[in-house]
Amino acid sequence: MTTTTSEVTHETLPSILLVDDDEVLRERLATAIRARGYEVRTAGSADEAMREATRESPEMAVLDLRMPGGSGLEILRELRKQDPSTRVLMLTGYGSISTAVEAVREGAVGYLPKPADADEILAALNGTNTAKEKGIETPSLARAEWEHIQRVLTDCGGNISEAARRLGIHRRSLQRKLHKYPPAR
């Protein structure tokens, strides 16, 4: 029996489960990742994702942290229970850095801010960093948090109480963070 190159590619590249409630983003990313030779299955909710994972455990997964009907953290925990070798990457929208940190503690290989493109996602899942190859420094987690706090504070016109409310932390905790020097990149 003769196999075609595309069959070999699909057999040798890992399968990816892509979970995001934003249908346009999800399908755009799925198309781009498939074009790079990966087998991609998609889901728009936590329930749909778990049905897909139960049917066939993915080797890799890309999960949106915040979705209606269940969070990416819940899916992460279930995927890790089902198959601890599944490499999971979290996608996070504006304002969920602390949740992304929790995801890494739960076993995710990392997180990327939205919008992320297919190359960034695959680089993160495969443990390569194309940003470093291009000479772009990835900020430390502490630096990313600091920059996020500064953006929210700017959006609130310098109002610490409002910024703390938007960040979901106590006002005094925010004041302590602001009194520290910015972390090194």
Side-chain angles (χ1 to χ4, degrees):
M1 180 176 149
T2 307
T3 58
T4 65
T5 305
S6 64
E7 288 173 359
V8 173
T9 302
H10 286 285
E11 290 175 18
T12 57
L13 290 176
S15 62
I16 298 176
L17 176 61
L18 180 58
V19 184
D20 197 307
D21 59 319
D22 181 340
E23 183 179 0
V24 173
L25 174 67
R26 181 179 70 239
E27 294 309 317
R28 183 183 59 82
L29 282 174
T31 301
I33 294 170
R34 282 185 190 112
R36 288 156 177 81
Y38 289 81
E39 174 195 336
V40 180
R41 291 179 289 140
T42 62
S45 68
D47 289 340
E48 197 178 331
M50 291 318 302
R51 280 194 300 274
E52 282 291 324
T54 302
R55 190 172 59 87
E56 184 181 336
S57 179
E59 294 165 275
M60 297 178 173
V62 179
L63 310 175
D64 185 11
L65 270 171
R66 293 190 181 176
M67 296 180 293
S71 76
L73 282 174
E74 293 166 1
I75 301 168
L76 168 65
R77 290 181 191 113
E78 289 301 315
L79 287 174
R80 301 285 297 162
K81 266 193 246 178
Q82 182 177 324
D83 184 356
S85 68
T86 300
R87 295 179 55 80
V88 178
L89 178 70
M90 305 304 291
L91 293 182
T92 177
Y94 184 75
S96 49
I97 297 295
S98 62
T99 313
V101 172
E102 184 180 347
V104 171
R105 287 187 188 132
E106 294 279 345
V109 296
Y111 68 92
L112 289 174
K114 281 182 171 181
D117 67 28
D119 291 328
E120 291 171 319
I121 289 170
L122 293 173
L125 281 169
N126 291 313
T128 59
N129 190 344
T130 55
K132 280 188 180 176
E133 293 165 8
K134 294 178 184 175
I136 301 168
E137 283 285 323
T138 303
S140 68
L141 187 57
R143 183 65 188 197
E145 178 188 42
W146 174 265
E147 290 173 1
H148 176 66
I149 287 171
Q150 294 303 315
R151 281 192 304 270
V152 172
L153 193 56
T154 299
D155 290 347
C156 295
N159 184 322
I160 291 175
S161 295
E162 177 62 17
R165 186 187 66 73
R166 289 185 187 182
L167 290 165
I169 62 176
H170 194 276
R171 179 184 51 82
R172 287 187 183 156
S173 296
L174 177 57
Q175 287 175 317
R176 280 192 294 275
K177 287 178 182 284
L178 291 171
H179 279 85
K180 294 181 183 178
Y181 290 105
R185 290 203 172 266

